[in-house]
Amino acid sequence: MLDEVIKATNDFIQHVPKSQRKRLGQFFTTSKTAAFMANMINVDLTKPLLHILDAGAGTGILSAALLDRIMAAGYAGKIVLTCYETDAQVLPVLKTTLELAKQNYGIRYELREENYLTGQFFGVDSLIAEDSEKFDYIIGNPPYLKISKDALEAKCMPEVCHGAPNLYFLFFAMGIYNLKPGQEMVYIIPRSWTSGAYFKKFRDYLFDNCVITDIHLFGCRDKVFGNENVLQETMIVKVKKTTVRPSAIAISTSSTSDFIDIKRFEAPYDTIVANNKIVYLITDTNELKVLERINSLPCTLPSLHLKMQTGLIVDFRTRESLRDRMEEGAFPLLYAAHIRDGRVMWPIGKEGEVIKTERRSFLQENGDFLMVKRFTSKEEKRRLQCGIYLKQRYKEFRYISTQNKINFVKCDSPCITYGLYVLLNSSLYDAYYRIMNGSTQVNSTEINLVPIPERKVIEAMGQELMQNDLSEESCNKIVDRWIR
């Protein structure tokens, strides 16, 4: 049945422009990905009746894959399939799929041409009275689309929303709500929910109700949805509606959605799902060792009063305050370009690298800082790119300022500044952050959650580095002596 649905889907794609589907966040699952997802579900063949949900069903690819899997396993009971879909163009294809399922497998189905998120109850602040159904198995490829915080979907699900949400994790959250206790849900979704402040409320809801049992990660961003060229860090995740944590999570990886080079291993649950409710996405046992080394450390930056912050100035909004050369009453404005070879070098002849302003909120007290670039490219060797700024080199200035494409930690001594540089410039911490966050942005909120050694160890590491060059190799040697 899946082969027939894939053929119909390909015909549909040929006649509907990609730009139109992109506006809906609509990207269809490949045949092999759908079959892989269906095989992740542990089907209870003894149940006389199975209720299945496919929300945002599209052409019915995932429904077909799951029905094929269940019937191939020899299931002899009854199946009721519920599909949600609102795209008028794709509905005829989905209706054909559902009729095909009815003819081939004798299922009953219900097609709901309504908004999955706004048409049912979710939580105490919902606009809808509680009357939601519960399902044995849920499978889904939700739309990937950012929406306004004032969108009706977000207002219907305030318990999991913070800032401007994305439809995909609202579908994920509603799926958790719709799942029967003890049952399973498999979704293919972006990786972005696994960390970051925007998704914290969602992660809280997820782990208050479910555990993760399986994760699959793709090595290539642009090969997951066939020829769609979707540049998205994507994963497949299976959750079970229970609060009983398993001892381990089954993790698999492949370079593409063909799954030809699939690798599998297990990792301790408490290592992957940390107490801070961040999900660490590792691809092999070497990365597992990175987590275990760092997560055993006792402190964080905020616990040592060394909180990382984001730079103050959005330069295109403050052009009237920027200068190209120094003048009386002006101060240095530091950009990512000033971070060079482990140090902050100013001036470098860059436009707008001086600021003159009466607004105190645009300035910060001069001091010792560790500065980190917020943005790097996917191809760069390191995600964490740091520079040491020492007040003594610029002691003529009472204030400085920072552009918002850098993060900074104000340090209370040169030793601490060098010590933090050792940590963040090491291969160990760069690997850790890549596991923590798959994007190219260095998020200060996440850095503030990263475990670090106690203060006296950081100072000792800094003192060692002062006698060496600032290379990654030097930092690695110091880290290996202090963090085992």
Side-chain angles (χ1 to χ4, degrees):
M1 182 176 159
L2 177 59
D3 291 341
E4 294 186 52
V5 178
I6 290 291
K7 183 178 182 301
T9 303
N10 290 336
D11 290 342
F12 173 79
I13 289 173
Q14 293 296 320
H15 293 92
V16 179
K18 180 181 175 181
S19 58
Q20 185 172 323
R21 290 182 282 111
K22 188 175 181 180
R23 284 199 300 271
L24 300 172
Q26 183 185 71
F27 303 102
F28 295 108
T29 320
T30 66
S31 174
K32 290 184 179 179
T33 300
F36 183 88
M37 292 171 64
N39 285 327
M40 291 175 74
I41 292 178
N42 296 312
V43 180
D44 185 349
L45 300 177
T46 67
K47 281 194 164 193
L49 176 64
L50 296 179
H51 286 272
I52 299 172
L53 172 65
D54 184 353
T59 59
I61 292 172
L62 289 172
S63 293
L66 184 53
L67 291 173
D68 281 352
R69 156 137 172 59
I70 291 172
M71 302 311 290
Y75 182 69
K78 295 181 179 180
I79 297 174
V80 178
L81 171 64
T82 300
C83 291
Y84 282 83
E85 183 54 59
T86 58
D87 179 10
Q89 286 193 292
V90 84
L91 278 169
V93 186
L94 178 57
K95 289 175 181 177
T96 300
T97 297
L98 295 174
E99 279 298 314
L100 187 64
K102 182 178 179 180
Q103 294 167 16
N104 287 5
Y105 296 140
I107 71 160
R108 288 191 293 129
Y109 71 82
E110 181 178 359
L111 174 55
R112 296 180 180 171
E113 300 176 30
E114 61 188 64
N115 190 310
Y116 173 60
L117 301 178
T118 62
Q120 59 179 321
F121 172 87
F122 184 85
V124 294
D125 296 325
S126 174
L127 304 179
I128 309 295
E130 179 166 14
D131 59 357
S132 301
E133 295 178 65
K134 304 297 179 184
F135 297 87
D136 297 290
Y137 305 117
I138 300 175
I139 193 165
N141 174 12
Y144 305 172
L145 194 66
K146 289 181 180 179
I147 60 173
S148 163
K149 64 181 179 180
D150 297 322
L152 185 57
E153 291 88 350
K155 288 184 175 180
C156 285
M157 304 178 69
E159 296 90 341
V160 295
C161 288
H162 174 79
N166 194 303
L167 285 180
Y168 86 79
F169 81 82
L170 298 183
F171 270 70
F172 197 169
M174 188 64 82
I176 292 168
Y177 178 76
N178 287 146
L179 195 60
K180 291 180 181 178
Q183 301 307 306
E184 298 175 348
M185 178 172 73
V186 175
Y187 259 42
I188 180 168
I189 49 176
R191 292 173 41 143
S192 50
W193 66 274
T194 58
S195 63
Y198 281 133
F199 300 95
K200 182 180 183 302
K201 292 175 74 173
F202 165 70
R203 291 195 302 273
D204 287 343
Y205 178 75
L206 167 63
F207 294 119
D208 284 346
N209 292 277
C210 291
V211 298
I212 295 174
T213 63
D214 298 76
I215 290 172
H216 182 83
L217 302 172
F218 297 97
C220 295
R221 290 189 298 165
D222 59 346
K223 303 298 183 185
V224 178
F225 294 99
N227 295 322
E228 295 282 57
N229 292 320
V230 180
L231 288 176
Q232 179 70 255
E233 296 280 357
T234 311
M235 65 185 293
I236 299 171
V237 59
K238 183 174 89 169
V239 300
K240 184 174 183 179
K241 197 163 188 177
T242 177
T243 55
V244 180
R245 286 188 166 203
S247 59
I249 293 179
I251 298 176
S252 57
T253 65
S254 65
S255 58
T256 69
S257 58
D258 288 335
F259 303 97
I260 295 172
D261 57 349
I262 192 166
K263 298 176 182 177
R264 301 178 187 273
F265 66 102
E266 287 193 342
Y269 189 93
D270 292 343
T271 302
I272 302 303
V273 181
N275 289 333
N276 57 19
K277 295 184 179 177
I278 285 177
V279 181
Y280 293 88
L281 301 178
I282 62 173
T283 60
D284 55 38
T285 53
N286 289 330
E287 291 183 347
L288 177 60
K289 291 175 183 175
V290 169
L291 292 186
E292 290 173 341
R293 281 179 73 184
I294 292 183
N295 283 344
S296 64
L297 298 173
C299 302
T300 61
L301 286 170
S303 75
L304 298 180
H305 307 290
L306 296 167
K307 186 176 181 182
M308 182 168 280
Q309 302 173 66
T310 298
L312 308 180
I313 300 299
V314 180
D315 50 347
F316 68 85
R317 293 177 181 167
T318 55
R319 289 194 181 98
E320 72 284 353
S321 299
L322 305 187
R323 306 287 187 271
D324 294 339
R325 295 179 181 81
M326 203 62 207
E327 59 184 73
E328 187 177 350
F331 303 99
L333 172 58
L334 304 176
Y335 292 76
H338 291 109
I339 298 175
R340 297 184 173 186
D341 299 321
R343 297 194 184 277
V344 176
M345 308 298 293
W346 182 96
I348 58 172
K350 176 179 170 54
E351 289 184 5
E353 64 180 353
V354 174
I355 186 167
K356 185 174 183 180
T357 178
E358 299 297 323
R359 294 184 62 173
R360 183 64 182 83
S361 61
F362 283 1
L363 302 172
Q364 56 205 83
E365 292 276 354
N366 198 2
D368 296 330
F369 293 92
L370 180 71
M371 298 192 176
V372 182
K373 293 182 181 181
R374 278 186 65 203
F375 299 97
T376 55
S377 70
K378 197 72 181 176
E379 294 70 31
E380 287 187 82
K381 180 186 174 184
R382 289 190 55 85
R383 184 70 66 244
L384 300 179
Q385 299 186 19
C386 316
I388 293 170
Y389 174 96
L390 297 180
K391 177 182 179 180
Q392 187 169 351
R393 290 193 60 189
Y394 303 96
K395 54 188 176 183
E396 68 269 30
F397 300 113
R398 181 179 178 185
Y399 299 107
I400 63 168
S401 191
T402 45
Q403 196 239 10
N404 77 329
K405 290 183 181 176
I406 61 173
N407 294 319
F408 64 87
V409 181
K410 186 170 186 180
C411 305
D412 48 27
S413 74
C415 280
I416 287 291
T417 311
Y418 275 87
L420 292 181
Y421 179 89
V422 170
L423 295 176
L424 297 191
N425 195 56
S426 70
S427 300
L428 178 67
Y429 271 80
D430 193 69
Y432 184 93
Y433 192 76
R434 286 174 182 269
I435 295 167
M436 186 182 199
N437 183 328
S439 78
T440 56
Q441 180 172 339
V442 178
N443 187 302
S444 60
T445 302
E446 292 172 350
I447 293 290
N448 286 325
L449 295 173
V450 175
I452 59 175
E454 56 190 346
R455 182 185 179 88
K456 63 181 181 181
V457 172
I458 297 173
E459 288 177 332
M461 295 170 84
Q463 288 170 349
E464 279 195 48
L465 185 65
M466 287 178 178
Q467 313 306 316
N468 292 281
D469 61 71
L470 298 179
S471 67
E472 185 174 350
E473 182 181 5
S474 293
C475 295
N476 289 344
K477 289 178 180 178
I478 296 171
V479 163
D480 287 344
R481 280 195 292 274
W482 288 95
I483 302 175
R484 298 188 181 276

